Amino acid sequence: LRAAFPQLCARAEEHKNPDLLIPVRVVSHAIEQVVRIVWYNSRQLERRSNGRDEARMTKWGGREHPLVEENATGSLIAFAFHQSAPHKDADACELWIAADDEEADTLIGFAGPLDPGSGLLFRPSPLDISEAFSPGPRSCALVESEISPAWHDQLPSGEAILDLVLARRPRSRSLAPDTRLMQRRECEFELFRSIEHFVVLPRVREGFESVEAFISLAHSVTNRRKSRAGKSLELQLRQIFDEESIAYSWTKSTEDKRTPDFVFPSIERYHEGSWPKSKLRMLAAKTTCKDRWRQVLNEAARIPVKHLLTLQEGVSEPQFREMKSEGIQLVVPSALHGAYPASVQSELLHLEGFLNEVRSLI
């Protein structure tokens, strides 16, 4: 909200809880309303640890509103703020709430890689390169001199990008597996965005001789983003399993050419009839699970409980109960547990807990 409401942000330096009203149109649900933007700044003004210093959009209309009702948990949302002039507060807002994974994939196709809990800010005109990608002391974004000339013909593979991430976020076991995973996800996000910026943006600025040429490049970028996003989480988990000396099989067939992401301790044990099913586990890896969790139900018939690792920041209580009744056990990095309903948190498994469980299989 700092970018959309710079004047409100400036007022928060001296005035307590400044606010304003703004017309909002929820395009996906054909709703028009007026919303309050308020900057709660008691901590900032009083210069002490208690109080709040945060901007919020309020007065949506209660829990029946499509933005906050239970089934919207985990949905992807796009906000578009209209500013009449630079450095002015936005005077209108439109937003779209993705109804399903197909709509979310369409938005991600335009926006690029996006992990749950993160956001992307687009301005009407491109940011200066130095402003967008000036690596700080802990940043993983590449500078232009680090871009390989070969990447202009073909972007690096998922494995190559992971190697770049590991060079910036070392393979130390001094960090808990959950922390390692989240830090590397953040690192890869910054790194991949910087590669796209230096490789794809120059091609866009050159212009196009035909609509077909433009569509071809757009499809290429979108498909590459989807492919990388789908494989990235699996590669990072595989790296952690190797670091933790976990026995596993990756993308091997169980029945009828079904291929779980991971089977523990191995696909050979899975197909060994004398090996007890109580000593088998499977793990699916999905950045979001709002609708996709049903895809894993038939991936390994011998394993009654399907473990699903997700980075989604919360599911509704009814969603969680439905998953549980179908035999899904959610594995969620520990840093994200607080985003889930209090009644659900005790039933979540973090990554380190899952690793301890599969260690006992052999």
Side-chain angles (χ1 to χ4, degrees), residues 106-273:
T106 300
L107 288 173
I108 290 172
F110 287 116
L114 185 64
D115 272 353
S118 64
L120 288 176
L121 173 64
F122 291 89
R123 300 177 187 272
S125 58
L127 289 172
D128 179 75
I129 287 176
S130 61
E131 180 184 351
F133 300 109
S134 293
R138 292 290 291 167
S139 172
C140 287
L142 303 181
V143 296
E144 192 167 13
S145 61
E146 295 177 290
I147 301 298
S148 168
W151 295 348
H152 290 274
D153 296 320
Q154 183 173 357
L155 289 187
S157 66
E159 289 84 356
I161 289 177
L162 178 58
D163 287 341
L164 291 170
V165 170
L166 294 175
R168 289 158 173 76
R169 296 291 181 266
R171 313 177 190 207
S172 170
R173 291 187 62 190
S174 61
L175 294 176
D178 296 71
T179 304
R180 258 179 281 163
L181 177 63
M182 296 302 288
Q183 287 189 359
R184 290 171 184 174
R185 293 293 297 177
E186 179 181 1
C187 180
E188 182 173 333
F189 178 84
E190 296 174 354
L191 194 148
F192 186 79
R193 291 288 293 178
S194 66
I195 292 175
E196 274 202 332
H197 185 87
F198 290 115
V199 173
V200 178
L201 185 57
R203 176 66 188 88
V204 173
R205 285 173 171 165
E206 288 175 4
F208 303 90
E209 294 183 356
S210 66
V211 173
E212 288 74 16
F214 166 74
I215 292 174
S216 177
L217 178 65
H219 282 171
S220 174
V221 171
T222 299
N223 291 337
R224 187 166 54 228
R225 286 175 168 182
K226 289 181 179 179
S227 176
R228 186 211 64 86
K231 193 176 181 183
S232 168
L233 183 56
E234 292 178 41
L235 291 175
Q236 291 180 353
L237 285 170
R238 189 179 66 163
Q239 176 65 34
I240 289 176
F241 297 156
D242 290 342
E243 291 169 355
E244 297 293 321
S245 300
I246 299 294
Y248 66 93
S249 293
W250 180 44
T251 60
K252 300 297 183 181
S253 296
T254 52
E255 300 88 10
D256 301 325
K257 297 183 179 180
R258 294 179 178 133
T259 53
D261 294 332
F262 298 95
V263 171
F264 306 87
S266 70
I267 196 65
E268 290 77 19
R269 292 298 193 188
Y270 182 89
H271 288 300
E272 184 180 314

Side-chain angles (χ1 to χ4, degrees), residues 73-74 311-316 319 336 339-341:
T73 305
L311 304 179
Q312 183 168 309
E313 290 200 341
V315 297
S316 68
Q319 287 171 340
L336 303 180
Y340 285 72

Side-chain angles (χ1 to χ4, degrees), residues 11-12 18 26 39 59 64 95 103 107 150 162 171 183 212 231 283 285 289 295 313 327 335 344 356 359:
R11 286 169 56 202
V26 186
W39 200 296
K59 295 188 178 299
E64 300 303 316
L95 64 91
E103 288 190 4
L107 288 173
L162 178 58
R171 313 177 190 207
Q183 287 189 359
E212 288 74 16
K231 193 176 181 183
L283 179 71
C289 65
Q295 298 171 0
E313 290 200 341
V344 166
N356 291 335
R359 284 191 182 98

